């Protein structure tokens, strides 16, 4: 972690993560060990939290296991093949982020904005994209991730909590959704061609215009339901 501390420093909680007083836009931290990032930069010190930015950053192959990145700005960041297991990405801006091949096992992504994100072949096994359980709200009322137009081709979403998640126009071709909880999710016009939905829960899901060609294990009455 020494390299990370020298780059990021110990910034106060009410400031963006910066280097020499400048936001870390386009910073290259590829392959760097960033485990426990929240503790290092003290983002929750004094109970203060303000969005810190890694906008356009290069974090390919970075080790972000157990990092606290809640409310971070990761717009258009390159996170391909990053190890992000058990990471906290709730309320994070991941629009247009590149997460191809990333390990997001058991990651928390409730209320994350992932519009247009690229997650091809990413591993989201047992990931939590809904806050229904922790907020004790119903799936439709809970604050869930937005994956509108996201690419999830071949992604592993087995046993993932996708309650109420917005997947409008998302590409889930060849995705593994076995045992996933999609109750109340919005799959309007989503492409689930050749996806495996064996054991998935889809009650209340919106699937108008969704494509299920070649999909396996599609629950009864789930094809083409109206909003």
């Amino acid at each position: 972690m020494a390299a990370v501390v020298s780059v990021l420093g110990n910034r106060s909680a009410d400031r963006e993560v910066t280097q020499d007083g400048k936001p870390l836009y386009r910073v290259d931290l590829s392959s760097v060990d960033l485990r426990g990032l929240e503790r290092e930069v003290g983002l929750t010190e004094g109970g203060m939290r303000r969005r810190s930015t890694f906008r356009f950053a290069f974090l390919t192959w970075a080790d972000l296991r157990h990092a606290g990145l809640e409310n971070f700005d990761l717009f258009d960041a390159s996170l391909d093949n990053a190890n992000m297991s058990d990471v906290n990405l709730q309320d994070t801006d991941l629009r247009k982020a590149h997460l191809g091949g990333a390990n997001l096992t058991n990651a928390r992504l409730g209320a994350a904005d992932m519009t247009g994100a690229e997650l091809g072949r990413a591993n989201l096994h047992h990931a939590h994209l809904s806050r229904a359980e922790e907020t004790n709200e119903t799936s439709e009322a809970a604050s869930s991730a937005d994956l509108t137009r996201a690419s999830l081709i071949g992604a592993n979403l087995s046993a993932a909590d996708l309650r109420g998640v917005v997947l409008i126009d998302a590409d889930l071709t060849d995705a593994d959704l076995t045992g996933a909880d999609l109750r109340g999710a919005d799959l309007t016009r989503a492409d689930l061609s050749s996806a495996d939905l064996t054991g998935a829960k889809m009650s209340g899901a919106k699937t108008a215009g969704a494509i299920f060609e070649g999909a396996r294990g599609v629950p009864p009455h789930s094809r083409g339901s109206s909003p």
Side-chain angles (χ1 to χ4, degrees), residues 69-142:
L69 301 176
E70 184 176 3
N71 204 39
F72 262 61
D73 182 353
L74 286 162
F75 177 85
D76 205 13
S78 296
L79 291 148
D80 295 305
N81 299 302
N83 189 349
M84 304 174 78
S85 61
D86 296 290
V87 70
N88 183 2
L89 289 162
Q90 295 179 130
D91 297 297
T92 296
D93 185 352
L94 284 159
R95 289 172 299 152
K96 297 185 179 181
H98 307 275
L99 291 147
N103 178 14
L104 287 154
T105 302
N106 207 42
R108 287 177 286 167
L109 289 150
D113 188 347
M114 304 176 79
T115 303
E118 163 60 51
L119 293 109
R121 306 294 170 185
N123 183 1
L124 288 101
H125 174 68
H126 222 288
H128 306 276
L129 289 91
S130 169
R131 279 183 162 174
E133 184 175 337
E134 66 182 70
T135 60
N136 199 31
E137 297 179 16
T138 64
S139 58
E140 292 187 1

Side-chain angles (χ1 to χ4, degrees), residues 1 33 38 53 65 74-75 86 94-95 99 110 112 120 122 134-135 141 168 170 177 181 187 189 204 208 213:
M1 280 304 285
D33 185 346
E38 182 175 41
T53 184
R65 286 175 290 172
L74 286 162
F75 177 85
D86 296 290
L94 284 159
R95 289 172 299 152
L99 291 147
E134 66 182 70
T135 60
I168 297 172
L177 287 154
D181 193 342
L187 290 156
R189 297 185 304 278
E213 184 177 355

